[in-house]
Amino acid sequence: MTILSGKARVAGIIGWPVSHSRSPRLHGFWLDRHAIDGTYIPLAIPPDAFPDTVRGLMNAGFAGANVTIPHKRAAFAICDHVEETARRAGAVNTLVFHEGRITGSNTDGGGFLANLRAYGVNPAAGPALVLGAGGAARAIAAALQEAGAPVTIANRTRAHAEQLAGDLPGLRIIDWQARSDALPDHALLVHTTSLGMSGHPALELDLSRAHASLAVADIVYAPLETPLLAAAHARGLRAVEGLGMLLHQAVPGFRAWFGVEPVVDDALRHFVAADLLPA
Ligand SMILES: NC(=O)c1ccc[n+]([C@@H]2O[C@H](COP(=O)([O-])OP(=O)(O)OC[C@H]3O[C@@H](n4cnc5c(N)ncnc54)[C@H](OP(=O)(O)O)[C@@H]3O)[C@@H](O)[C@H]2O)c1
């Protein structure tokens, strides 16, 4: 049983819907581990109520919140200060309230890089091929560029990749159909589309073209081992699971709201992964 005091720190995740989110479980693990007088709750808020709700949470004494689909762009607009991570990603996923001001950041790119490094993969080791041009791809491409990697994008809808390239100078675009042929030119493959998620078709990709040194990262984490990661394992390639990105992206928010630097370790991974197994 969790007993809060009158001074408890409160944060949460705002989404619509939000019932699928694993963030309450993840932050709840850390709150329990550190015996913190605080809580982290799911907040299902429709888009038209988002701005008023955020100000209401701040006025009610919340320490901040995570923001997920469909609010990540709207969150950008309500911030008093937006950090460079969010500016480059064009979206906010973490809000911190302090003395009546809202600061927004985007921790997806940093979480992705931290997860890569946890697997022993250096993001700057060579050119990266990113499949997809949605919100996650944007944050990851920006973070990879920042880390010093040349980035190529292949997306089903080329116009979306071109929009991204307009915002991130230096990005190279190739056709979606050319993705397998492009593998030998890259040291890292990052899959950011919804293909391979439970209930979705698998990504079609011919990994036989890749060098043996290619690292394959999939940001889809349900299932934990996607068909792409299974194919990478089968070829003996380094495979980086998406769950770690989710865990690592949560660190800066927890630190800001609850004042403790949390650690991503096997115990946390197993606890969150247990919720991803088929019932
Ligand atoms: N591990 C983590 O922490 C983490 C964080 C964020 C997101 N994710 C996961 O990443 C995925 C994408 O999230 P997002 O927020 O970036 O979504 P999004 O903004 O909606 O972007 C979706 C992307 O998937 C592509 N796509 C969708 N269906 C496709 C299909 N049938 N064939 C080819 N491409 C297809 C879209 O291409 P078009 O432009 O052609 O539509 C677009 O590039 C989701 O599975 C999400 O759960 C994981």
Side-chain angles (χ1 to χ4, degrees):
M1 186 176 20
T2 303
I3 307 282
L4 301 176
S5 81
K7 292 185 225 149
R9 307 279 293 168
V10 183
I13 179 161
I14 309 172
W16 184 255
V18 80
S19 55
H20 64 283
S21 175
R22 269 70 183 203
S23 291
R25 186 171 174 90
L26 151 56
H27 285 277
F29 178 92
W30 281 331
L31 286 167
D32 184 65
R33 169 181 276 177
H34 296 287
I36 287 172
D37 182 19
T39 190
Y40 181 103
I41 57 177
L43 296 154
I45 307 296
D48 57 354
F50 178 76
D52 286 346
T53 300
V54 171
R55 288 195 191 88
L57 294 175
M58 181 166 67
N59 293 337
F62 270 57
N66 280 127
V67 176
T68 188
I69 292 169
H71 303 307
K72 287 187 180 184
R73 281 187 176 266
F76 200 94
I78 57 158
C79 290
D80 298 299
H81 173 70
V82 171
E83 290 184 358
E84 186 57 24
T85 49
R87 201 175 303 286
R88 281 171 63 88
V92 163
N93 76 343
T94 303
L95 299 172
V96 176
F97 306 147
H98 185 61
E99 295 180 348
R101 283 172 60 82
I102 305 173
T103 297
S105 61
N106 190 307
T107 63
D108 277 340
F112 174 77
L113 293 185
N115 188 42
L116 268 191
R117 292 183 175 118
Y119 276 83
V121 176
N122 174 6
L129 173 59
V130 175
L131 304 183
R138 182 177 283 266
I140 288 170
L144 284 168
Q145 282 189 329
E146 183 77 17
V151 178
T152 306
I153 295 270
N155 191 52
R156 177 182 62 176
T157 308
R158 192 179 168 107
H160 294 163
E162 281 164 1
Q163 268 168 17
L164 191 50
D167 295 340
L168 298 177
L171 218 62
R172 182 175 157 240
I173 300 174
I174 61 166
D175 281 342
W176 177 244
Q177 287 73 17
R179 60 194 183 279
S180 293
D181 292 337
L183 284 175
D185 304 329
H186 294 89
L188 170 66
L189 171 75
V190 188
H191 172 246
T192 75
T193 84
S194 44
L195 292 169
M197 273 174 77
S198 307
H200 292 244
L203 168 74
E204 287 177 24
L205 190 73
D206 182 2
L207 285 179
S208 69
R209 316 274 180 94
H211 289 300
S213 58
L214 181 75
V216 178
D218 198 337
I219 71 161
V220 171
Y221 56 81
L224 278 177
E225 187 183 63
T226 61
L228 172 63
L229 293 181
H233 281 132
R235 292 198 64 78
L237 303 174
R238 281 177 300 168
V240 179
E241 276 180 8
L243 180 60
M245 173 180 165
L246 180 76
L247 306 181
H248 282 284
Q249 66 76 32
V251 169
F254 190 91
R255 181 177 53 224
W257 305 319
F258 301 112
V260 172
E261 178 82 27
V263 173
V264 173
D265 58 13
D266 283 347
L268 173 71
R269 186 185 170 282
H270 288 138
F271 183 74
V272 178
D275 191 45
L276 298 172
L277 300 174

